[in-house]
Amino acid sequence: MYRCGASLSLLLFFMIYLKEVQDLVEIFSHFPGIGPKAAQRFVFYLLRQPAKNRTEFIERLKALENIYSCSICHNFSNHKICPICQDSQRDHSIVLIVARPQDLIAIEKMGHYKGLYHVLERELEPIEQANFAKIITNNLLTRLKKNKEIKELIFGFDLNIKGEGMALYISNLIKRDSELKKRLKLSKMARGLPLGAEIEYADEITLGDALKNRKNI
Amino acid sequence: MYRCGASLSLLLFFMIYLKEVQDLVEIFSHFPGIGPKAAQRFVFYLLRQPAKNRTEFIERLKALENIYSCSICHNFSNHKICPICQDSQRDHSIVLIVARPQDLIAIEKMGHYKGLYHVLERELEPIEQANFAKIITNNLLTRLKKNKEIKELIFGFDLNIKGEGMALYISNLIKRDSELKKRLKLSKMARGLPLGAEIEYADEITLGDALKNRKNI
């Protein structure tokens, strides 16, 4: 449950602590990016808050029960099918696949994209790709096979090894299915220089992509 | 409420987000060391948990209501007066003052110290020392004046500018009161080389302290 290095000191720590504190430290220790020390700070922070703030926190946590994972795209919303999937004005032939709901929000904020989305349950470590297959099969692949209206799948993953790995894995899955391979166009977002980039400091790969994908003006 | 740089993007972010998510992101953003991005990750992490895990989290948060800040030393415990302050076997003439409850735990774990404690409400930034006065006056100073049994005050603060500042500030407050000045012995923890220290890599101040405070063997 905990990283090895922290186990011994945690054991000692749990022997002295109040049960209520140690229970909550344990829960916070599982939050993304949070170790036992930060978890401890959170609990003492909460203890220092007036009781009404803790009550409010609890009420807001309870409100999460009104949020569902959309049964089509797995985005979070107040409905079993999210407003984006329900929107007949959007282009239902294009699906943009993202690793996290935050990525969907970033793209929606921009306001230009009018297709649909598919949100993966979580971002995947390169080492996990065997288990990953199951998640993809259960969600994305089922959706793509069932819904013949979908003609294009855009990969909206981070431009790093993890993101590239995910895109490669999914495109291989699709290419293995002859019907999907024939029907679906796979695409990825354009690469190039971001706004405000200084040529001098741009990395070689980005610079190479920007040159290769140059446009006539 | 938020740092300036984050305000605009947060505003945009709040326009698209679900109310339930944004409310909780706001609460987590106030946790120590947590910005809006990490707060967002926490909420999505919670949304991905099975409902029973969230229920358990809420139950454990509710259990914090059984924890009190000791009315004497301000340590946390299940009693209005903590077991340490109630323990007649301990030396009630010595008070070790620490900045955080975690520091008390570290000292108790060691098992050698048999005096009492005083836990400050929070660690103080050097810039806050004017407001700090009030907290000290309300808690520590009142306690020291009221309880004539206390003969020694040990500073258990971190060995950095913040800790030194707090010690200096409190000792000045005490020296300004003639009765306290006369009655109380002020002390601080010994300085020297920590276990496993390599002379070659020890910093000059620590090395100087270790030499100055050398002991006959």
Side-chain angles (χ1 to χ4, degrees):
Chain A
M1 242 157 114
Y2 290 105
R3 280 157 303 174
C4 266
S7 300
L8 184 68
S9 70
L10 262 174
L11 258 175
L12 281 166
F13 164 91
F14 280 178
M15 286 159 63
I16 291 164
Y17 254 117
L18 292 165
K19 176 86 172 64
E20 289 87 345
V21 171
Q22 87 194 32
D23 283 349
L24 204 50
V25 167
E26 201 199 311
I27 289 184
F28 278 126
S29 299
H30 296 284
F31 274 46
I34 297 306
K37 283 279 173 195
Q40 209 182 116
R41 275 202 303 275
F42 288 177
V43 179
F44 286 119
Y45 164 79
L46 286 170
L47 279 169
R48 291 281 183 222
Q49 296 295 306
K52 73 164 180 50
N53 288 17
R54 285 196 296 269
T55 308
E56 194 193 346
F57 182 37
I58 288 170
E59 288 311 311
R60 291 185 180 189
L61 282 168
K62 282 182 184 163
L64 292 187
E65 302 311 318
N66 305 327
I67 300 183
Y68 307 95
S69 171
C70 169
S71 60
I72 297 174
C73 74
H74 302 276
N75 181 26
F76 291 111
S77 91
N78 291 116
H79 309 81
K80 304 260 167 166
I81 295 176
C82 78
I84 295 177
C85 286
Q86 278 186 30
D87 186 350
S88 61
Q89 299 295 304
R90 297 185 76 119
D91 185 346
H92 284 236
S93 73
I94 306 177
V95 170
L96 197 157
I97 176 168
V98 290
R100 298 163 296 239
Q102 296 95 302
D103 300 334
L104 180 156
I105 290 161
I107 295 166
E108 278 299 290
K109 254 182 353 197
M110 178 192 62
H112 296 160
Y113 178 69
K114 293 298 173 208
L116 303 183
Y117 292 93
H118 194 92
V119 182
L120 292 180
E121 293 296 310
R122 57 194 176 88
E123 219 188 359
L124 288 132
E125 303 301 323
I127 206 162
E128 286 182 317
Q129 294 197 347
N131 303 327
F132 185 26
K134 218 175 137 192
I135 299 166
I136 297 298
T137 314
N138 286 350
N139 293 335
L140 178 68
L141 233 61
T142 312
R143 178 179 178 192
L144 294 175
K145 285 189 178 203
K146 210 165 81 178
N147 192 336
K148 312 260 184 235
E149 205 183 351
I150 304 170
K151 305 291 180 204
E152 181 175 356
L153 186 65
I154 308 171
F155 293 119
F157 299 140
D158 292 341
L159 295 189
N160 55 27
I161 293 180
K162 216 186 267 185
E164 300 288 308
M166 288 162 80
L168 188 68
Y169 187 82
I170 296 170
S171 46
N172 281 340
L173 273 183
I174 287 165
K175 283 172 189 162
R176 244 182 272 153
D177 183 296
S178 58
E179 191 272 321
L180 285 183
K181 187 184 172 182
K182 209 175 135 190
R183 171 165 43 101
L184 287 178
K185 189 180 134 191
L186 300 181
S187 62
K188 58 183 183 179
M189 297 209 269
R191 296 174 166 209
L193 292 162
L195 185 68
E198 295 181 43
I199 306 290
E200 184 181 354
Y201 299 108
D203 69 278
E204 285 173 34
I205 294 170
T206 301
L207 213 51
D209 282 332
L211 259 179
K212 207 160 55 192
N213 304 324
R214 67 193 181 277
K215 290 190 158 192
N216 291 328
I217 48 170
Chain B
M1 241 155 115
Y2 292 102
R3 283 159 300 176
C4 265
S7 301
L8 184 66
S9 69
L10 263 173
L11 258 175
L12 280 166
F13 163 91
F14 281 176
M15 286 161 63
I16 290 163
Y17 254 117
L18 290 165
K19 176 89 172 57
E20 289 87 347
V21 172
Q22 87 194 33
D23 283 349
L24 204 50
V25 166
E26 200 197 311
I27 289 184
F28 278 125
S29 300
H30 295 285
F31 274 46
I34 297 305
K37 283 280 172 193
Q40 208 182 116
R41 274 201 303 276
F42 289 176
V43 178
F44 285 119
Y45 164 79
L46 286 171
L47 279 170
R48 291 283 183 220
Q49 297 295 306
K52 73 165 180 53
N53 288 16
R54 284 196 296 271
T55 307
E56 194 194 346
F57 182 40
I58 287 170
E59 289 311 312
R60 290 183 181 189
L61 282 167
K62 281 182 186 162
L64 292 187
E65 301 312 318
N66 305 327
I67 300 183
Y68 308 96
S69 171
C70 169
S71 60
I72 297 174
C73 76
H74 302 277
N75 181 25
F76 291 111
S77 91
N78 290 118
H79 309 83
K80 304 260 168 165
I81 294 176
C82 78
I84 295 176
C85 287
Q86 278 186 32
D87 186 351
S88 60
Q89 299 295 304
R90 298 186 75 121
D91 185 347
H92 284 237
S93 73
I94 305 176
V95 170
L96 196 157
I97 175 168
V98 291
R100 298 163 296 238
Q102 297 95 303
D103 300 336
L104 182 156
I105 290 162
I107 296 167
E108 278 299 289
K109 257 185 350 199
M110 180 191 61
H112 297 159
Y113 178 69
K114 293 299 174 206
L116 302 184
Y117 292 93
H118 194 92
V119 183
L120 293 179
E121 294 297 313
R122 58 191 176 90
E123 219 188 359
L124 288 133
E125 302 301 324
I127 206 162
E128 287 181 317
Q129 293 197 346
N131 303 327
F132 186 26
K134 218 175 139 190
I135 299 166
I136 298 298
T137 314
N138 288 350
N139 293 335
L140 178 68
L141 233 61
T142 313
R143 179 180 177 190
L144 294 174
K145 285 192 175 198
K146 211 164 82 179
N147 192 337
K148 311 259 185 237
E149 205 185 348
I150 304 170
K151 304 291 179 206
E152 182 176 355
L153 187 65
I154 308 172
F155 292 119
F157 298 141
D158 292 341
L159 294 188
N160 55 28
I161 293 180
K162 218 187 266 185
E164 301 287 310
M166 286 160 81
L168 187 69
Y169 186 83
I170 296 170
S171 48
N172 281 340
L173 274 183
I174 287 165
K175 283 172 189 162
R176 243 181 272 155
D177 182 295
S178 58
E179 192 274 320
L180 285 182
K181 188 183 172 183
K182 210 175 135 192
R183 169 163 47 97
L184 286 179
K185 189 180 131 191
L186 300 180
S187 63
K188 59 181 181 181
M189 297 210 268
R191 295 176 169 209
L193 293 161
L195 185 70
E198 296 180 44
I199 307 289
E200 183 182 355
Y201 299 109
D203 69 277
E204 285 173 35
I205 293 170
T206 301
L207 213 49
D209 282 333
L211 260 179
K212 207 161 54 192
N213 304 324
R214 67 191 180 278
K215 290 191 161 195
N216 292 328
I217 48 168

